[in-house]
Amino acid sequence: MATLNVFSQPLHPTTISSSLCSSSSNSTFSCHFSLLSSHSSPTLSKLSNHVHTHFSKSGNGSSWLQSSSTADSIAHKKGPVYSVFPSSPAQVSSVQDLYEFICSGPLLYKIGLTPEKVAESIDKWLSYGRQLCRLFQLNELFLTEPQKVRLYHYYIPVFLWCESEIAQHQAKFKDKEDIPPLVIGFSAPQGCGKTTLVFALEYLFQMIGRKSATISIDDFYLTAEGQNKLREANPGNALPEYRGNAGSHDLPFSVETLTALTKMSREGTKMKLPRYDKSAFGGRGDRADPSTWPEIEGPLTVVLFEGWMLGFKPLPVEAVKAVDPQLEIVNKNLKAYYDAWDKYIQSWIVIKIKDPSCVYQWRLQAEIAMREAGNPGMSDDEVRDFVSRYLPAYNAYLPTLYSEGPSGSDPQHLLNIEIDEKRNPILCV
């Protein structure tokens, strides 16, 4: 392979390529780094603060996201940062180690890439890896194996697939036509890392100049008053007692929001994205005050829409009653969700799990991490009760989602990703 210059892409402050100096003892890279400035851009600072707030609040137990004290000192040091290497211009003798690692990823062929295409675009892989290391404040000199897997086998391949979907979507329109944003749906169980994945994608879109918006099905929950009415209308049924299952969302509100998002195709158009406050009313939740909703401005290129039950299809009544009789009302409510959510989605990513019980384990890990960090967290029994309200829907609807795809999905624009108990993609045969 020919020698490549990893700095052919714009180099942002405080970046030292993780792909060049990994923790691997077999690394053959010869690196010399120049003096770098440590002043971050406002966008990066804002997103970095957000991601640390997100992880501290969610306690999601992302063991891959562990940076060493070296990375922490680089991230927080004031003034210029000097690399631990001689400060001469970067010289890269080989990228073979990283290239082979990328080509060993389980998603490579699924997203239409070959080793030859990876070789041609290796500079982009290096640039995206650099950006994500900055976002998550990882130690770029010594990435752990889980960190390398998460970046180069998962986040970057999914981003490249999204970019391909955007290109195909935009090609359908003529010159000077307003191009509506592509809506990509992410159907994934709770706790599997979909929020972090979407967060990473949104950041990469910003870094290449694309405007994006992120919305979750959680943002469309009924108000506290609406939840109370739903609970009162279904006495004795544990599934609609709390928010979560079909029937606990304000579908007219979601239609209004998604319709408005698809019209954000012109410069200067603005709208606020709804948000939900899960901490309100002692944890029962309520729609957040509109004054706190983030504002976005068009033209949007892509909308990232994520949720645990996106794409679920209603089943014959007897089939759902066989799983849990309480599901009958949920199944009935689910019939309206295609028109409210799924029909807006042109491209789909489905994150698959082998056993729904993983949801319980992941949630338990998250709550334990929160308690250990001194934050309020559910007890083990509360976690078990919480997850039990979702498991019937998982058991009933995931088999059809995995075998047939989401409601109205096009197999040519559907990416299935099976993950293991560590939330990393695995090779499916």
Side-chain angles (χ1 to χ4, degrees), residues 24-48:
S24 171
S25 59
N26 297 322
S27 176
T28 61
F29 300 123
S30 173
C31 307
H32 297 283
F33 292 94
S34 60
L35 174 63
L36 302 175
S37 166
S38 68
H39 298 293
S40 332
S41 68
T43 299
L44 177 65
S45 298
K46 181 178 179 181
L47 283 170
S48 293

mmCIF file with all atom_site columns, all heavy atoms in Angstrom, residues 24-48:
data_model
loop_
_atom_site.group_PDB
_atom_site.id
_atom_site.type_symbol
_atom_site.label_atom_id
_atom_site.label_alt_id
_atom_site.label_comp_id
_atom_site.label_asym_id
_atom_site.label_entity_id
_atom_site.label_seq_id
_atom_site.pdbx_PDB_ins_code
_atom_site.Cartn_x
_atom_site.Cartn_y
_atom_site.Cartn_z
_atom_site.occupancy
_atom_site.B_iso_or_equiv
_atom_site.pdbx_formal_charge
_atom_site.auth_seq_id
_atom_site.auth_comp_id
_atom_site.auth_asym_id
_atom_site.auth_atom_id
_atom_site.pdbx_PDB_model_num
ATOM 1   N N   . SER A 1 24 ? -1.959  -1.639 20.333 1.00 0.00 ? 24 SER A N   1
ATOM 2   C CA  . SER A 1 24 ? -1.455  -2.895 19.802 1.00 0.00 ? 24 SER A CA  1
ATOM 3   C C   . SER A 1 24 ? 0.068   -2.949 19.870 1.00 0.00 ? 24 SER A C   1
ATOM 4   O O   . SER A 1 24 ? 0.755   -2.042 19.453 1.00 0.00 ? 24 SER A O   1
ATOM 5   C CB  . SER A 1 24 ? -1.913  -3.076 18.345 1.00 0.00 ? 24 SER A CB  1
ATOM 6   O OG  . SER A 1 24 ? -1.269  -4.186 17.767 1.00 0.00 ? 24 SER A OG  1
ATOM 7   N N   . SER A 1 25 ? 0.579   -4.071 20.365 1.00 0.00 ? 25 SER A N   1
ATOM 8   C CA  . SER A 1 25 ? 2.033   -4.233 20.446 1.00 0.00 ? 25 SER A CA  1
ATOM 9   C C   . SER A 1 25 ? 2.631   -4.504 19.076 1.00 0.00 ? 25 SER A C   1
ATOM 10  O O   . SER A 1 25 ? 3.834   -4.430 18.892 1.00 0.00 ? 25 SER A O   1
ATOM 11  C CB  . SER A 1 25 ? 2.362   -5.395 21.380 1.00 0.00 ? 25 SER A CB  1
ATOM 12  O OG  . SER A 1 25 ? 1.774   -6.589 20.906 1.00 0.00 ? 25 SER A OG  1
ATOM 13  N N   . ASN A 1 26 ? 1.786   -4.812 18.063 1.00 0.00 ? 26 ASN A N   1
ATOM 14  C CA  . ASN A 1 26 ? 2.274   -5.106 16.734 1.00 0.00 ? 26 ASN A CA  1
ATOM 15  C C   . ASN A 1 26 ? 2.290   -3.884 15.832 1.00 0.00 ? 26 ASN A C   1
ATOM 16  O O   . ASN A 1 26 ? 2.531   -3.988 14.637 1.00 0.00 ? 26 ASN A O   1
ATOM 17  C CB  . ASN A 1 26 ? 1.386   -6.187 16.081 1.00 0.00 ? 26 ASN A CB  1
ATOM 18  C CG  . ASN A 1 26 ? 1.451   -7.486 16.840 1.00 0.00 ? 26 ASN A CG  1
ATOM 19  O OD1 . ASN A 1 26 ? 2.509   -7.861 17.320 1.00 0.00 ? 26 ASN A OD1 1
ATOM 20  N ND2 . ASN A 1 26 ? 0.327   -8.175 16.943 1.00 0.00 ? 26 ASN A ND2 1
ATOM 21  N N   . SER A 1 27 ? 2.006   -2.724 16.418 1.00 0.00 ? 27 SER A N   1
ATOM 22  C CA  . SER A 1 27 ? 1.943   -1.517 15.591 1.00 0.00 ? 27 SER A CA  1
ATOM 23  C C   . SER A 1 27 ? 3.274   -1.259 14.909 1.00 0.00 ? 27 SER A C   1
ATOM 24  O O   . SER A 1 27 ? 4.327   -1.321 15.517 1.00 0.00 ? 27 SER A O   1
ATOM 25  C CB  . SER A 1 27 ? 1.563   -0.312 16.453 1.00 0.00 ? 27 SER A CB  1
ATOM 26  O OG  . SER A 1 27 ? 1.584   0.858  15.697 1.00 0.00 ? 27 SER A OG  1
ATOM 27  N N   . THR A 1 28 ? 3.201   -0.937 13.586 1.00 0.00 ? 28 THR A N   1
ATOM 28  C CA  . THR A 1 28 ? 4.421   -0.668 12.822 1.00 0.00 ? 28 THR A CA  1
ATOM 29  C C   . THR A 1 28 ? 4.533   0.792  12.460 1.00 0.00 ? 28 THR A C   1
ATOM 30  O O   . THR A 1 28 ? 5.319   1.152  11.594 1.00 0.00 ? 28 THR A O   1
ATOM 31  C CB  . THR A 1 28 ? 4.414   -1.494 11.525 1.00 0.00 ? 28 THR A CB  1
ATOM 32  O OG1 . THR A 1 28 ? 3.277   -1.102 10.741 1.00 0.00 ? 28 THR A OG1 1
ATOM 33  C CG2 . THR A 1 28 ? 4.357   -2.971 11.817 1.00 0.00 ? 28 THR A CG2 1
ATOM 34  N N   . PHE A 1 29 ? 3.726   1.633  13.119 1.00 0.00 ? 29 PHE A N   1
ATOM 35  C CA  . PHE A 1 29 ? 3.672   3.036  12.722 1.00 0.00 ? 29 PHE A CA  1
ATOM 36  C C   . PHE A 1 29 ? 4.880   3.806  13.239 1.00 0.00 ? 29 PHE A C   1
ATOM 37  O O   . PHE A 1 29 ? 5.322   3.637  14.365 1.00 0.00 ? 29 PHE A O   1
ATOM 38  C CB  . PHE A 1 29 ? 2.399   3.687  13.256 1.00 0.00 ? 29 PHE A CB  1
ATOM 39  C CG  . PHE A 1 29 ? 1.165   3.030  12.753 1.00 0.00 ? 29 PHE A CG  1
ATOM 40  C CD1 . PHE A 1 29 ? 0.244   2.532  13.641 1.00 0.00 ? 29 PHE A CD1 1
ATOM 41  C CD2 . PHE A 1 29 ? 0.952   2.912  11.391 1.00 0.00 ? 29 PHE A CD2 1
ATOM 42  C CE1 . PHE A 1 29 ? -0.887  1.916  13.166 1.00 0.00 ? 29 PHE A CE1 1
ATOM 43  C CE2 . PHE A 1 29 ? -0.192  2.303  10.927 1.00 0.00 ? 29 PHE A CE2 1
ATOM 44  C CZ  . PHE A 1 29 ? -1.105  1.801  11.807 1.00 0.00 ? 29 PHE A CZ  1
ATOM 45  N N   . SER A 1 30 ? 5.393   4.656  12.392 1.00 0.00 ? 30 SER A N   1
ATOM 46  C CA  . SER A 1 30 ? 6.460   5.571  12.780 1.00 0.00 ? 30 SER A CA  1
ATOM 47  C C   . SER A 1 30 ? 5.879   6.965  12.722 1.00 0.00 ? 30 SER A C   1
ATOM 48  O O   . SER A 1 30 ? 5.556   7.447  11.651 1.00 0.00 ? 30 SER A O   1
ATOM 49  C CB  . SER A 1 30 ? 7.629   5.448  11.804 1.00 0.00 ? 30 SER A CB  1
ATOM 50  O OG  . SER A 1 30 ? 8.587   6.432  12.091 1.00 0.00 ? 30 SER A OG  1
ATOM 51  N N   . CYS A 1 31 ? 5.697   7.600  13.878 1.00 0.00 ? 31 CYS A N   1
ATOM 52  C CA  . CYS A 1 31 ? 4.975   8.864  13.925 1.00 0.00 ? 31 CYS A CA  1
ATOM 53  C C   . CYS A 1 31 ? 5.828   9.970  14.520 1.00 0.00 ? 31 CYS A C   1
ATOM 54  O O   . CYS A 1 31 ? 6.537   9.755  15.489 1.00 0.00 ? 31 CYS A O   1
ATOM 55  C CB  . CYS A 1 31 ? 3.714   8.724  14.785 1.00 0.00 ? 31 CYS A CB  1
ATOM 56  S SG  . CYS A 1 31 ? 2.660   7.367  14.305 1.00 0.00 ? 31 CYS A SG  1
ATOM 57  N N   . HIS A 1 32 ? 5.733   11.148 13.901 1.00 0.00 ? 32 HIS A N   1
ATOM 58  C CA  . HIS A 1 32 ? 6.328   12.351 14.457 1.00 0.00 ? 32 HIS A CA  1
ATOM 59  C C   . HIS A 1 32 ? 5.277   13.426 14.370 1.00 0.00 ? 32 HIS A C   1
ATOM 60  O O   . HIS A 1 32 ? 4.806   13.742 13.282 1.00 0.00 ? 32 HIS A O   1
ATOM 61  C CB  . HIS A 1 32 ? 7.579   12.754 13.669 1.00 0.00 ? 32 HIS A CB  1
ATOM 62  C CG  . HIS A 1 32 ? 8.655   11.746 13.730 1.00 0.00 ? 32 HIS A CG  1
ATOM 63  N ND1 . HIS A 1 32 ? 9.464   11.579 14.834 1.00 0.00 ? 32 HIS A ND1 1
ATOM 64  C CD2 . HIS A 1 32 ? 9.030   10.806 12.834 1.00 0.00 ? 32 HIS A CD2 1
ATOM 65  C CE1 . HIS A 1 32 ? 10.309  10.596 14.601 1.00 0.00 ? 32 HIS A CE1 1
ATOM 66  N NE2 . HIS A 1 32 ? 10.060  10.107 13.401 1.00 0.00 ? 32 HIS A NE2 1
ATOM 67  N N   . PHE A 1 33 ? 4.893   13.981 15.524 1.00 0.00 ? 33 PHE A N   1
ATOM 68  C CA  . PHE A 1 33 ? 3.790   14.924 15.552 1.00 0.00 ? 33 PHE A CA  1
ATOM 69  C C   . PHE A 1 33 ? 4.274   16.346 15.787 1.00 0.00 ? 33 PHE A C   1
ATOM 70  O O   . PHE A 1 33 ? 5.186   16.592 16.563 1.00 0.00 ? 33 PHE A O   1
ATOM 71  C CB  . PHE A 1 33 ? 2.797   14.548 16.657 1.00 0.00 ? 33 PHE A CB  1
ATOM 72  C CG  . PHE A 1 33 ? 2.089   13.278 16.374 1.00 0.00 ? 33 PHE A CG  1
ATOM 73  C CD1 . PHE A 1 33 ? 2.567   12.078 16.865 1.00 0.00 ? 33 PHE A CD1 1
ATOM 74  C CD2 . PHE A 1 33 ? 0.962   13.278 15.580 1.00 0.00 ? 33 PHE A CD2 1
ATOM 75  C CE1 . PHE A 1 33 ? 1.918   10.898 16.588 1.00 0.00 ? 33 PHE A CE1 1
ATOM 76  C CE2 . PHE A 1 33 ? 0.307   12.095 15.306 1.00 0.00 ? 33 PHE A CE2 1
ATOM 77  C CZ  . PHE A 1 33 ? 0.787   10.902 15.803 1.00 0.00 ? 33 PHE A CZ  1
ATOM 78  N N   . SER A 1 34 ? 3.612   17.250 15.092 1.00 0.00 ? 34 SER A N   1
ATOM 79  C CA  . SER A 1 34 ? 3.937   18.661 15.255 1.00 0.00 ? 34 SER A CA  1
ATOM 80  C C   . SER A 1 34 ? 3.201   19.236 16.449 1.00 0.00 ? 34 SER A C   1
ATOM 81  O O   . SER A 1 34 ? 2.307   18.617 16.999 1.00 0.00 ? 34 SER A O   1
ATOM 82  C CB  . SER A 1 34 ? 3.556   19.429 13.982 1.00 0.00 ? 34 SER A CB  1
ATOM 83  O OG  . SER A 1 34 ? 2.183   19.290 13.736 1.00 0.00 ? 34 SER A OG  1
ATOM 84  N N   . LEU A 1 35 ? 3.615   20.433 16.837 1.00 0.00 ? 35 LEU A N   1
ATOM 85  C CA  . LEU A 1 35 ? 2.972   21.146 17.942 1.00 0.00 ? 35 LEU A CA  1
ATOM 86  C C   . LEU A 1 35 ? 1.513   21.415 17.605 1.00 0.00 ? 35 LEU A C   1
ATOM 87  O O   . LEU A 1 35 ? 1.191   21.852 16.525 1.00 0.00 ? 35 LEU A O   1
ATOM 88  C CB  . LEU A 1 35 ? 3.689   22.478 18.173 1.00 0.00 ? 35 LEU A CB  1
ATOM 89  C CG  . LEU A 1 35 ? 3.073   23.422 19.207 1.00 0.00 ? 35 LEU A CG  1
ATOM 90  C CD1 . LEU A 1 35 ? 3.104   22.753 20.582 1.00 0.00 ? 35 LEU A CD1 1
ATOM 91  C CD2 . LEU A 1 35 ? 3.870   24.714 19.245 1.00 0.00 ? 35 LEU A CD2 1
ATOM 92  N N   . LEU A 1 36 ? 0.644   21.122 18.559 1.00 0.00 ? 36 LEU A N   1
ATOM 93  C CA  . LEU A 1 36 ? -0.787  21.305 18.348 1.00 0.00 ? 36 LEU A CA  1
ATOM 94  C C   . LEU A 1 36 ? -1.340  22.281 19.362 1.00 0.00 ? 36 LEU A C   1
ATOM 95  O O   . LEU A 1 36 ? -0.884  22.350 20.489 1.00 0.00 ? 36 LEU A O   1
ATOM 96  C CB  . LEU A 1 36 ? -1.520  19.959 18.494 1.00 0.00 ? 36 LEU A CB  1
ATOM 97  C CG  . LEU A 1 36 ? -1.053  18.834 17.560 1.00 0.00 ? 36 LEU A CG  1
ATOM 98  C CD1 . LEU A 1 36 ? -1.781  17.556 17.903 1.00 0.00 ? 36 LEU A CD1 1
ATOM 99  C CD2 . LEU A 1 36 ? -1.285  19.219 16.123 1.00 0.00 ? 36 LEU A CD2 1
ATOM 100 N N   . SER A 1 37 ? -2.363  23.005 18.958 1.00 0.00 ? 37 SER A N   1
ATOM 101 C CA  . SER A 1 37 ? -3.028  23.937 19.864 1.00 0.00 ? 37 SER A CA  1
ATOM 102 C C   . SER A 1 37 ? -4.148  23.221 20.575 1.00 0.00 ? 37 SER A C   1
ATOM 103 O O   . SER A 1 37 ? -4.788  22.355 20.019 1.00 0.00 ? 37 SER A O   1
ATOM 104 C CB  . SER A 1 37 ? -3.601  25.124 19.075 1.00 0.00 ? 37 SER A CB  1
ATOM 105 O OG  . SER A 1 37 ? -4.508  25.846 19.866 1.00 0.00 ? 37 SER A OG  1
ATOM 106 N N   . SER A 1 38 ? -4.401  23.569 21.819 1.00 0.00 ? 38 SER A N   1
ATOM 107 C CA  . SER A 1 38 ? -5.426  22.870 22.591 1.00 0.00 ? 38 SER A CA  1
ATOM 108 C C   . SER A 1 38 ? -6.750  23.599 22.628 1.00 0.00 ? 38 SER A C   1
ATOM 109 O O   . SER A 1 38 ? -7.664  23.165 23.310 1.00 0.00 ? 38 SER A O   1
ATOM 110 C CB  . SER A 1 38 ? -4.944  22.679 24.033 1.00 0.00 ? 38 SER A CB  1
ATOM 111 O OG  . SER A 1 38 ? -4.871  23.932 24.682 1.00 0.00 ? 38 SER A OG  1
ATOM 112 N N   . HIS A 1 39 ? -6.898  24.702 21.929 1.00 0.00 ? 39 HIS A N   1
ATOM 113 C CA  . HIS A 1 39 ? -8.152  25.447 22.013 1.00 0.00 ? 39 HIS A CA  1
ATOM 114 C C   . HIS A 1 39 ? -9.199  24.787 21.135 1.00 0.00 ? 39 HIS A C   1
ATOM 115 O O   . HIS A 1 39 ? -9.041  24.697 19.932 1.00 0.00 ? 39 HIS A O   1
ATOM 116 C CB  . HIS A 1 39 ? -7.926  26.893 21.584 1.00 0.00 ? 39 HIS A CB  1
ATOM 117 C CG  . HIS A 1 39 ? -6.960  27.604 22.486 1.00 0.00 ? 39 HIS A CG  1
ATOM 118 N ND1 . HIS A 1 39 ? -7.258  27.889 23.802 1.00 0.00 ? 39 HIS A ND1 1
ATOM 119 C CD2 . HIS A 1 39 ? -5.697  28.049 22.273 1.00 0.00 ? 39 HIS A CD2 1
ATOM 120 C CE1 . HIS A 1 39 ? -6.216  28.508 24.359 1.00 0.00 ? 39 HIS A CE1 1
ATOM 121 N NE2 . HIS A 1 39 ? -5.268  28.600 23.456 1.00 0.00 ? 39 HIS A NE2 1
ATOM 122 N N   . SER A 1 40 ? -10.285 24.300 21.746 1.00 0.00 ? 40 SER A N   1
ATOM 123 C CA  . SER A 1 40 ? -11.325 23.620 20.999 1.00 0.00 ? 40 SER A CA  1
ATOM 124 C C   . SER A 1 40 ? -12.270 24.619 20.375 1.00 0.00 ? 40 SER A C   1
ATOM 125 O O   . SER A 1 40 ? -12.398 25.734 20.826 1.00 0.00 ? 40 SER A O   1
ATOM 126 C CB  . SER A 1 40 ? -12.150 22.718 21.903 1.00 0.00 ? 40 SER A CB  1
ATOM 127 O OG  . SER A 1 40 ? -11.454 22.263 22.970 1.00 0.00 ? 40 SER A OG  1
ATOM 128 N N   . SER A 1 41 ? -13.005 24.136 19.337 1.00 0.00 ? 41 SER A N   1
ATOM 129 C CA  . SER A 1 41 ? -14.035 24.966 18.717 1.00 0.00 ? 41 SER A CA  1
ATOM 130 C C   . SER A 1 41 ? -15.239 25.035 19.633 1.00 0.00 ? 41 SER A C   1
ATOM 131 O O   . SER A 1 41 ? -15.461 24.145 20.457 1.00 0.00 ? 41 SER A O   1
ATOM 132 C CB  . SER A 1 41 ? -14.451 24.352 17.378 1.00 0.00 ? 41 SER A CB  1
ATOM 133 O OG  . SER A 1 41 ? -15.123 23.132 17.605 1.00 0.00 ? 41 SER A OG  1
ATOM 134 N N   . PRO A 1 42 ? -16.074 26.074 19.516 1.00 0.00 ? 42 PRO A N   1
ATOM 135 C CA  . PRO A 1 42 ? -17.281 26.170 20.342 1.00 0.00 ? 42 PRO A CA  1
ATOM 136 C C   . PRO A 1 42 ? -18.193 24.968 20.169 1.00 0.00 ? 42 PRO A C   1
ATOM 137 O O   . PRO A 1 42 ? -18.793 24.477 21.119 1.00 0.00 ? 42 PRO A O   1
ATOM 138 C CB  . PRO A 1 42 ? -17.940 27.459 19.842 1.00 0.00 ? 42 PRO A CB  1
ATOM 139 C CG  . PRO A 1 42 ? -16.823 28.264 19.266 1.00 0.00 ? 42 PRO A CG  1
ATOM 140 C CD  . PRO A 1 42 ? -15.878 27.267 18.681 1.00 0.00 ? 42 PRO A CD  1
ATOM 141 N N   . THR A 1 43 ? -18.294 24.458 18.923 1.00 0.00 ? 43 THR A N   1
ATOM 142 C CA  . THR A 1 43 ? -19.163 23.305 18.670 1.00 0.00 ? 43 THR A CA  1
ATOM 143 C C   . THR A 1 43 ? -18.685 22.107 19.450 1.00 0.00 ? 43 THR A C   1
ATOM 144 O O   . THR A 1 43 ? -19.460 21.407 20.105 1.00 0.00 ? 43 THR A O   1
ATOM 145 C CB  . THR A 1 43 ? -19.180 22.975 17.174 1.00 0.00 ? 43 THR A CB  1
ATOM 146 O OG1 . THR A 1 43 ? -19.699 24.092 16.464 1.00 0.00 ? 43 THR A OG1 1
ATOM 147 C CG2 . THR A 1 43 ? -20.059 21.762 16.898 1.00 0.00 ? 43 THR A CG2 1
ATOM 148 N N   . LEU A 1 44 ? -17.377 21.842 19.394 1.00 0.00 ? 44 LEU A N   1
ATOM 149 C CA  . LEU A 1 44 ? -16.840 20.695 20.106 1.00 0.00 ? 44 LEU A CA  1
ATOM 150 C C   . LEU A 1 44 ? -17.023 20.840 21.600 1.00 0.00 ? 44 LEU A C   1
ATOM 151 O O   . LEU A 1 44 ? -17.400 19.890 22.288 1.00 0.00 ? 44 LEU A O   1
ATOM 152 C CB  . LEU A 1 44 ? -15.359 20.514 19.781 1.00 0.00 ? 44 LEU A CB  1
ATOM 153 C CG  . LEU A 1 44 ? -14.679 19.368 20.528 1.00 0.00 ? 44 LEU A CG  1
ATOM 154 C CD1 . LEU A 1 44 ? -15.291 18.049 20.097 1.00 0.00 ? 44 LEU A CD1 1
ATOM 155 C CD2 . LEU A 1 44 ? -13.188 19.367 20.269 1.00 0.00 ? 44 LEU A CD2 1
ATOM 156 N N   . SER A 1 45 ? -16.764 22.016 22.139 1.00 0.00 ? 45 SER A N   1
ATOM 157 C CA  . SER A 1 45 ? -16.906 22.227 23.576 1.00 0.00 ? 45 SER A CA  1
ATOM 158 C C   . SER A 1 45 ? -18.333 21.963 24.021 1.00 0.00 ? 45 SER A C   1
ATOM 159 O O   . SER A 1 45 ? -18.583 21.302 25.038 1.00 0.00 ? 45 SER A O   1
ATOM 160 C CB  . SER A 1 45 ? -16.506 23.659 23.940 1.00 0.00 ? 45 SER A CB  1
ATOM 161 O OG  . SER A 1 45 ? -15.155 23.889 23.622 1.00 0.00 ? 45 SER A OG  1
ATOM 162 N N   . LYS A 1 46 ? -19.277 22.463 23.240 1.00 0.00 ? 46 LYS A N   1
ATOM 163 C CA  . LYS A 1 46 ? -20.688 22.277 23.573 1.00 0.00 ? 46 LYS A CA  1
ATOM 164 C C   . LYS A 1 46 ? -21.071 20.803 23.549 1.00 0.00 ? 46 LYS A C   1
ATOM 165 O O   . LYS A 1 46 ? -21.705 20.286 24.463 1.00 0.00 ? 46 LYS A O   1
ATOM 166 C CB  . LYS A 1 46 ? -21.550 23.054 22.582 1.00 0.00 ? 46 LYS A CB  1
ATOM 167 C CG  . LYS A 1 46 ? -23.043 22.956 22.850 1.00 0.00 ? 46 LYS A CG  1
ATOM 168 C CD  . LYS A 1 46 ? -23.824 23.799 21.839 1.00 0.00 ? 46 LYS A CD  1
ATOM 169 C CE  . LYS A 1 46 ? -25.332 23.682 22.081 1.00 0.00 ? 46 LYS A CE  1
ATOM 170 N NZ  . LYS A 1 46 ? -26.089 24.479 21.075 1.00 0.00 ? 46 LYS A NZ  1
ATOM 171 N N   . LEU A 1 47 ? -20.633 20.098 22.486 1.00 0.00 ? 47 LEU A N   1
ATOM 172 C CA  . LEU A 1 47 ? -20.990 18.693 22.368 1.00 0.00 ? 47 LEU A CA  1
ATOM 173 C C   . LEU A 1 47 ? -20.267 17.853 23.408 1.00 0.00 ? 47 LEU A C   1
ATOM 174 O O   . LEU A 1 47 ? -20.818 16.905 23.931 1.00 0.00 ? 47 LEU A O   1
ATOM 175 C CB  . LEU A 1 47 ? -20.661 18.194 20.965 1.00 0.00 ? 47 LEU A CB  1
ATOM 176 C CG  . LEU A 1 47 ? -21.658 18.624 19.893 1.00 0.00 ? 47 LEU A CG  1
ATOM 177 C CD1 . LEU A 1 47 ? -21.126 18.296 18.515 1.00 0.00 ? 47 LEU A CD1 1
ATOM 178 C CD2 . LEU A 1 47 ? -23.003 17.949 20.102 1.00 0.00 ? 47 LEU A CD2 1
ATOM 179 N N   . SER A 1 48 ? -19.012 18.199 23.704 1.00 0.00 ? 48 SER A N   1
ATOM 180 C CA  . SER A 1 48 ? -18.278 17.446 24.717 1.00 0.00 ? 48 SER A CA  1
ATOM 181 C C   . SER A 1 48 ? -18.952 17.564 26.071 1.00 0.00 ? 48 SER A C   1
ATOM 182 O O   . SER A 1 48 ? -19.095 16.578 26.803 1.00 0.00 ? 48 SER A O   1
ATOM 183 C CB  . SER A 1 48 ? -16.835 17.948 24.803 1.00 0.00 ? 48 SER A CB  1
ATOM 184 O OG  . SER A 1 48 ? -16.136 17.664 23.633 1.00 0.00 ? 48 SER A OG  1
#
